[in-house]
Amino acid sequence: MYDKNALLSLKKNIGKTILLFVIIVVITNLVIAGLSIQSATKKSMDQIRSSLGNDVTLSVDFRNMMKNRKPSEAVSNETSLTTTMADSLKDLKYVKNYNYQISTSANSNSISAVETASDNSNNQPEQASNQVDFTISANTTMKYLDSFTNNNYKLTKGRLLTTKDQNTNNCVIETNLASDNDLSVGDTFTITTTVNDETITQELTIVGIYEIQSTNEIGSAHFNNPVNTIYTDLSIGQTLTGSSENITSAIYYLDDPENAEAFVELAKKKSDIDFDTFSLDANNRLYQQNASSLESMQSFAKMFVWIVVIAGSAILCLILALTIRNRYYEIGVLLSLGQSKVKIIAQQLIEVGLIAVVAFVISLGTGQLTSHYMGNMLESSSSSNVMQIDQKDDRLNDNQNQSDSNQQKNNTQTKENFLGNMMQGPSNQELDVSITGENVIQLAGVTAAICIVSIAVPAAYVLRLTPRQILSRKEG
């Protein structure tokens, strides 16, 4: 009976019906757009976190040391990370694998470094004459190195080093270095360095050759040119640095990227490491840089949904209040005939509910277009900010690399080079604003809530009156 009366009322008041339909369609479209952008930004932030990897790096915090030093005080080069410190974290909860790393430099009398245009520059002849030829990257294992796992570097011959190569003289070199020196898997060559005025000569055997796939990584002079990087076992790095304990960094690979912050907190609680001197870097800075625009979108979308809900409810309340005023006589008569107030409100809800159902179905189609439009608009407004951040970071990295070339044997340079590689993040992806099943459920709940509120408020005002008071009022 109520359905029949509701349909008759909608047909009779066609102007009001169309007006309510248009308003509810607009509201539901805006709500679904806001909800889909919210879920899309959360999904994108999770993807960024996952794409950054599950590694946490322990190393000397040179930036904090610089910050805490007194004016004109030199930064100590004696501070070093040790394997004892690193071992205190490797068996903690969340740690799945680990890799200890030593970055140092060496020359060679048996092979020549690959030269680039910058090597022949006459801008700094004195520095060029003191330039070392090779970067030595000594590792516990190469299995988890970012350059190889993200396919920037590709193994072309032989194999990568693993924990089975511990205490061996095996190495992996780049294909250009191999071809320039007519080297292949199984060949040997020697490298030299000086530690405490003593010349150390180390023979290496090639077990693998890799090729750099990303052309933007090739450049700079000998030491900073990745084609002149030689990968060895950790023991070789210890020999070349003259220390069996000191390492450059320890990288811990966690079972889940989401556990990075929990691992950092656990490490600080369980270990005796001085975290004013050493740092555990979980890529938080890079995550925040890439996710900042998405977080802004998410906050905007959340605020936008609330504004739409509140404003939409207010508008519907106003329209329905005016409508009910025009139905004073009808309501008064129904109450006089013994109709309960609950049934009268129920009919009003059915009328609005029928309109809302049609509007809801339509918004599932048109809301997708609205979501894409709003998503593109938000991405365009935030892209300029992201580009500015990236440009600033590029200039910072350029300045760091230039400074590093003047301090090749200094541990500070090793730290900065390591940070430079770590700060290479994933490229921004298009925001996926597809409507999900969760969005549909949320929209249904929001639409129902708006309809109930918009009916209950004006109806409560009218139905608090007695039938005599209602009938005594003039219609219109």
Side-chain angles (χ1 to χ4, degrees):
M1 178 180 177
Y2 295 123
D3 293 346
K4 184 178 180 181
N5 291 337
L7 289 172
L8 290 173
S9 178
L10 292 176
K11 189 181 295 185
K12 178 182 177 182
N13 302 286
I14 189 66
K16 181 205 74 172
T17 301
I18 294 174
L19 178 61
L20 288 175
F21 174 76
V22 171
I23 292 175
I24 295 177
V25 165
V26 171
I27 292 173
T28 52
N29 270 270
L30 294 177
V31 168
I32 194 66
L35 293 174
S36 62
I37 290 174
Q38 267 188 280
S39 61
T41 50
K42 184 179 182 302
K43 186 194 303 180
S44 296
M45 289 168 69
D46 291 341
Q47 289 174 348
I48 290 175
R49 166 54 75 186
S50 298
S51 66
L52 293 179
N54 59 342
D55 57 293
V56 179
T57 302
L58 175 66
S59 56
V60 178
D61 193 345
F62 287 100
R63 292 182 179 178
N64 197 40
M65 291 173 64
M66 288 289 291
K67 180 181 178 181
N68 294 331
R69 73 185 180 93
K70 296 178 180 179
S72 302
E73 181 183 6
V75 178
S76 174
N77 292 329
E78 302 299 323
T79 304
S80 298
L81 178 66
T82 66
T83 53
T84 301
M85 296 178 190
D87 286 343
S88 67
L89 304 183
K90 70 178 183 180
D91 295 321
L92 290 181
K93 183 181 179 182
Y94 309 122
V95 178
K96 190 174 181 180
N97 293 290
Y98 67 92
N99 177 37
Y100 297 166
Q101 206 170 52
I102 295 175
S103 294
T104 186
S105 59
N107 289 305
S108 177
N109 294 323
S110 61
I111 63 172
S112 300
V114 177
E115 293 189 357
T116 60
S118 58
D119 295 332
N120 299 320
S121 172
N122 294 321
N123 292 336
Q124 296 176 319
E126 184 176 349
Q127 287 184 6
S129 64
N130 296 325
Q131 183 118 10
V132 291
D133 289 335
F134 302 101
T135 297
I136 306 300
S137 179
N139 298 271
T140 306
T141 176
M142 294 179 66
K143 184 177 180 180
Y144 309 105
L145 294 182
D146 288 343
S147 295
F148 291 92
T149 57
N150 62 20
N151 294 321
N152 283 342
Y153 296 0
K154 181 182 178 182
L155 184 70
T156 56
K157 295 179 182 178
R159 61 179 178 83
L160 299 179
L161 301 178
T162 67
T163 52
K164 295 181 180 179
D165 293 287
Q166 184 177 0
N167 297 320
T168 67
N169 66 340
N170 295 337
C171 72
V172 176
I173 64 174
E174 207 274 333
T175 183
N176 289 284
L177 180 61
S179 60
D180 279 14
N181 292 277
D182 197 23
L183 297 172
S184 59
V185 173
D187 290 345
T188 62
F189 61 92
T190 58
I191 55 175
T192 61
T193 190
T194 302
V195 178
N196 298 326
D197 297 326
E198 179 184 351
T199 300
I200 297 176
T201 301
Q202 175 67 52
E203 184 180 72
L204 299 177
T205 300
I206 302 171
V207 296
I209 297 175
Y210 69 93
E211 182 179 11
I212 297 177
Q213 303 292 303
S214 179
T215 55
N216 61 351
E217 294 195 26
I218 300 177
S220 189
H222 290 327
F223 186 84
N224 291 321
N225 194 338
V227 299
N228 291 318
T229 296
I230 301 173
Y231 291 90
T232 70
D233 174 59
L234 191 71
S235 60
I236 300 297
Q238 292 172 331
T239 298
L240 296 177
T241 56
S243 173
S244 61
E245 270 286 306
N246 295 345
I247 58 177
T248 302
S249 62
I251 307 172
Y252 303 94
Y253 300 94
L254 309 184
D255 52 2
D256 192 316
E258 295 295 327
N259 294 328
E261 292 184 7
F263 170 71
V264 172
E265 292 301 318
L266 183 63
K268 291 180 178 179
K269 183 185 299 183
K270 296 288 187 179
S271 72
D272 296 327
I273 297 173
D274 179 10
F275 286 102
D276 287 331
T277 305
F278 301 92
S279 66
L280 269 174
D281 196 319
N283 278 342
N284 284 338
R285 178 177 177 274
L286 182 58
Y287 174 75
Q288 291 169 2
Q289 173 183 310
N290 283 270
S292 60
S293 60
L294 292 175
E295 288 174 346
S296 298
M297 285 188 199
Q298 192 174 42
S299 298
F300 172 81
K302 185 176 182 179
M303 180 177 65
F304 178 78
V305 170
W306 277 108
I307 292 174
V308 170
V309 170
I310 294 172
S313 299
I315 294 171
L316 286 178
C317 282
L318 178 61
I319 294 174
L320 291 172
L322 295 174
T323 301
I324 289 176
R325 281 178 59 88
N326 292 329
R327 299 175 67 176
Y328 272 178
Y329 183 79
E330 176 187 343
I331 294 173
V333 170
L334 290 174
L335 289 173
S336 299
L337 294 175
Q339 187 86 278
S340 70
K341 294 181 179 180
V342 173
K343 291 182 178 180
I344 293 175
I345 294 176
Q347 181 174 329
Q348 299 291 321
L349 278 173
I350 291 173
E351 290 179 17
V352 176
L354 291 173
I355 299 172
V357 168
V358 178
F360 174 82
V361 173
I362 292 176
S363 68
L364 294 180
T366 57
Q368 186 74 60
L369 299 176
T370 307
S371 299
H372 278 292
Y373 176 78
M374 289 186 61
N376 293 335
M377 184 174 63
L378 288 171
E379 282 184 315
S380 298
S381 64
S382 63
S383 61
S384 58
N385 295 332
V386 174
M387 289 177 63
Q388 290 174 3
I389 292 174
D390 290 341
Q391 289 169 357
K392 289 179 181 178
D393 285 339
D394 289 341
R395 289 195 294 269
L396 177 60
N397 289 335
D398 290 341
N399 292 335
Q400 289 174 344
N401 289 335
Q402 189 174 18
S403 174
D404 290 343
S405 66
N406 296 329
Q407 303 176 22
Q408 294 158 3
K409 294 182 181 181
N410 191 299
N411 284 339
T412 304
Q413 172 232 21
T414 301
K415 173 66 176 175
E416 294 300 329
N417 280 344
F418 177 75
L419 283 173
N421 291 332
M422 188 175 65
M423 294 307 294
Q424 294 173 0
S427 58
N428 292 330
Q429 298 180 348
E430 184 179 352
L431 197 65
D432 181 11
V433 291
S434 301
I435 297 175
T436 64
E438 183 181 1
N439 295 149
V440 175
I441 296 173
Q442 290 173 331
L443 177 62
V446 171
T447 304
I450 291 175
C451 291
I452 292 172
V453 170
S454 61
I455 284 293
V457 172
Y461 171 75
V462 174
L463 296 180
R464 67 186 175 84
L465 303 174
T466 64
R468 179 186 293 275
Q469 289 174 321
I470 294 175
L471 289 172
S472 66
R473 293 170 178 258
K474 294 182 180 180
E475 294 187 18

